[in-house]
Amino acid sequence: MKVYLIVGEPSGDKLGGALMEGLRTLDPDIEFQGVGGPLMEAQGMTSLFAMEELSVMGIAEVLPKLRGLFRRRDETVEDIIGSGADVVVTIDSPDFCLRVLRKLRAVSAVPTVHYVAPSVWAWRAKRTDKMIGIVDHVLALLPFEPPYMERAGLACDFVGHPVVAEPLAEPTDASAFRHAHGLGAAPVVLALPGSRKGEVSRLSDVFGESLHKLAAKHPDMRVVIPAAAPVAAIVQQRVAQWPGDPVVLDPRGISVESALADKRAAFAAADVALAASGTVSLELAANTVPMVIAYDMNWLSRKLINAMLKVDTVTLVNLVSETRTVPEFLGDACKPDDIARALNLALKPGPERAAQAAAAEIAMERLGRGDEAPGLRAARVVMHVATQTGQT
C-alpha cells in the first residue's frame, strides 16, 4: 500500500509521525511519500520540499507568499499523481492542503483523508463547504468535533490526540536536565514563543518583557526555550537579552530521538510555562505544567479573526476540559504586565495551580489517554478509507 501525506508545520509533523507508525504496524510493507518534517522523515519519508515553506499563519501573512504556495501546490499534485498513491492524507494546514485536494480531485479519484477537523466551532463555520466533494473522510482530534463535520455532510471519526500517547520523562530525567544545565533548585520557566518565524518575531519582545517583570519577583528563576528547528536560529538571537540566563534547546545537528528526549526532560523540569497558542498547551497539560497562553498576530489578521471568532477561549485545554482555568492573553490583551501577573500566580502553590492540574487531567482523559494509541486509531481509519474504494 502507498500513502501520500502532506504536512505544513511541526504540530502536523507530530501527527504524521504517529500516523505513519500506526500504519506501519498494520502494514509493515507500506510505502510513504509526500511533504513532512523530521518526525515523518524518521518514519521513512523523503519530503518533496521543506515543510517550513508552508508554515504561514494569518490572512495578511499569507498574501505575499501566494505565488510560491501555488507553485508548490502544482508540484505536489503532480507528485501525487506520479506516486501511484492508494490514499492521500492531508494533515492540518487547510489553506494549502485543500487547494491541493481541489486540484487533485479534478484529475484523480484517489481517496482522501483530512486529519484535523477545521475548528468551525471557533470561527469560519463555512470552511466545511470547501471540503465537500474533495475530502472523503475527516479525522478529528477533539471529541466534540464529529457532529460539526457530519452536519456538513462529511464522514468523520474522533481518533484522539497523539499527545496522550507520547512518553513522559521520569523525575530522574528532570533532575539530570537541571544538573546538566546548571539550573539547580531554581524556578524553571518554559518559554514557547511558537514554531513559525513570524510568531517568534512578533512574540519574543512581549515574552521577554513579561519575563523581566516576573524576574523582579523571582530573581533566581531560569528560563528554558525548547526551539523548533525552523526557528532555532532566530530564537537564539531574540532571547539573548531575556532574563533568567536562557537555555535554548536547539534540535539542529542532533538526532530526532535526542531532541525529543531533551524536550521531554525540560517539560518535566518546568515549574510554569509561557506559551503561544496552539497544540503546545496540550503537551504542557500532558506533563501537568501550569501555563499562561499569550498570542498576537498581524494587525489586519487580528481584526479579521476577532470579528469572526465564536468562542471565548482558544486554548485547547480550556475547550476540551470545558473550563477556563488556563489564562490567555490574545491580541490587544497580550500585555506584559498582565502576563507577568498570571505567571506569578501560576508559579506559586495555590488554587490556580490546582485548578490547572485538574483541567489537564480532564483534558487528557477526554482526548483518549488509556485507550488505543491515537496514531493507530487514525491508521485504522485511513486503511479502511483506502480499501473501501478498492484502491489497494
Side-chain angles (χ1 to χ4, degrees), residues 197 200 227-239 248 250-252:
K197 290 182 180 179
V200 174
V231 296
I234 188 173
V235 166
Q236 293 274 15
Q237 297 169 2
R238 292 279 183 163
V239 308
V248 177
D250 187 345
R252 298 172 300 172

Side-chain angles (χ1 to χ4, degrees), residues 250-274:
D250 187 345
R252 298 172 300 172
I254 63 175
S255 69
V256 172
E257 293 78 10
S258 295
L260 288 174
D262 283 348
K263 183 178 178 181
R264 286 195 294 267
F267 274 57
D271 295 293
V272 71
L274 173 59

Side-chain angles (χ1 to χ4, degrees), residues 10-11 13-15 18 39 161-169 260 263-264 267 279 282-284 286-287 364 369 373-374:
S11 60
D13 184 41
K14 182 176 293 186
L15 293 171
L39 298 178
H161 199 292
V163 72
V164 302
E166 292 172 4
L168 303 178
L260 288 174
K263 183 178 178 181
R264 286 195 294 267
F267 274 57
T279 307
L282 297 179
E283 295 182 64
L284 293 166
N287 288 270
M364 292 301 104
R369 178 176 278 175

Side-chain angles (χ1 to χ4, degrees), residues 9-350:
E9 54 190 324
S11 60
D13 184 41
K14 182 176 293 186
L15 293 171
L19 172 61
M20 291 169 70
E21 184 177 1
L23 286 166
R24 199 176 295 285
T25 299
L26 299 176
D27 179 4
D29 298 321
I30 200 163
E31 298 177 25
F32 299 116
Q33 198 166 325
V35 180
L39 298 178
M40 294 170 70
E41 290 176 339
Q43 291 292 332
M45 171 187 285
T46 299
S47 188
L48 177 63
F49 54 83
M51 174 191 75
E52 292 75 29
E53 293 187 33
L54 307 181
S55 295
V56 185
M57 185 175 182
I59 297 167
E61 292 83 349
V62 170
L63 292 176
K65 300 189 176 183
L66 275 178
R67 179 174 294 182
L69 291 172
F70 284 145
R71 184 179 69 253
R72 288 304 194 189
R73 174 203 62 185
D74 296 344
E75 290 176 10
T76 304
V77 171
E78 290 179 10
D79 198 49
I80 293 171
I81 294 170
S83 72
D86 297 297
V87 62
V88 175
V89 181
T90 53
I91 303 178
D92 211 1
S93 303
D95 290 330
F96 179 79
C97 289
L98 295 184
R99 286 188 172 96
V100 169
L101 296 184
R102 186 171 297 108
K103 186 159 188 177
L104 177 67
R105 186 50 56 95
V107 295
S108 172
V110 61
T112 58
V113 176
H114 189 67
Y115 196 174
V116 183
S119 50
V120 296
W121 39 266
W123 69 302
R124 288 173 62 192
K126 294 294 185 180
R127 277 179 289 174
T128 51
D129 294 349
K130 298 180 179 180
M131 302 171 72
I132 302 297
I134 63 173
V135 173
D136 296 313
H137 209 98
V138 180
L139 302 179
L141 301 182
L142 307 178
F144 53 80
E145 291 180 319
Y148 288 93
M149 299 297 103
E150 290 161 359
R151 280 197 293 271
L154 292 160
C156 181
D157 282 294
F158 166 62
V159 295
H161 199 292
V163 72
V164 302
E166 292 172 4
L168 303 178
E170 299 292 336
T172 52
D173 299 318
S175 297
F177 180 88
R178 281 179 171 269
H179 177 74
H181 295 283
L183 305 179
V188 172
V189 182
L190 277 187
L192 301 130
S195 59
R196 305 178 184 92
K197 290 182 180 179
E199 289 175 329
V200 174
S201 298
R202 280 191 306 275
L203 296 175
S204 56
D205 288 346
V206 174
F207 275 38
E209 189 173 346
S210 301
L211 293 171
H212 273 293
K213 292 180 180 298
L214 182 64
K217 295 181 178 295
H218 302 276
D220 61 335
M221 77 176 200
R222 297 294 305 277
V223 177
V224 176
I225 306 101
V231 296
I234 188 173
V235 166
Q236 293 274 15
Q237 297 169 2
R238 292 279 183 163
V239 308
Q241 302 305 314
W242 282 12
D245 192 14
V247 174
V248 177
L249 302 183
D250 187 345
R252 298 172 300 172
I254 63 175
S255 69
V256 172
E257 293 78 10
S258 295
L260 288 174
D262 283 348
K263 183 178 178 181
R264 286 195 294 267
F267 274 57
D271 295 293
V272 71
L274 173 59
S277 178
T279 307
V280 69
S281 72
L282 297 179
E283 295 182 64
L284 293 166
N287 288 270
T288 322
V289 180
M291 72 195 84
V292 173
I293 301 298
Y295 198 80
D296 200 3
M297 57 179 59
N298 174 280
W299 178 88
L300 177 60
S301 297
R302 182 202 307 168
K303 296 301 180 185
L304 290 172
I305 290 172
N306 282 346
M308 294 183 281
L309 203 61
K310 300 190 297 181
V311 292
D312 65 345
T313 179
V314 299
T315 301
L316 291 174
V317 176
N318 288 342
L319 288 162
V320 176
S321 66
E322 298 180 278
T323 69
R324 297 297 182 265
T325 59
V326 176
E328 59 182 26
F329 301 91
L330 312 176
D332 292 334
C334 191
K335 305 295 185 185
D337 284 333
D338 297 330
I339 293 168
R341 276 193 289 270
L343 282 169
N344 187 47
L345 283 174
L347 185 56
K348 299 186 299 185

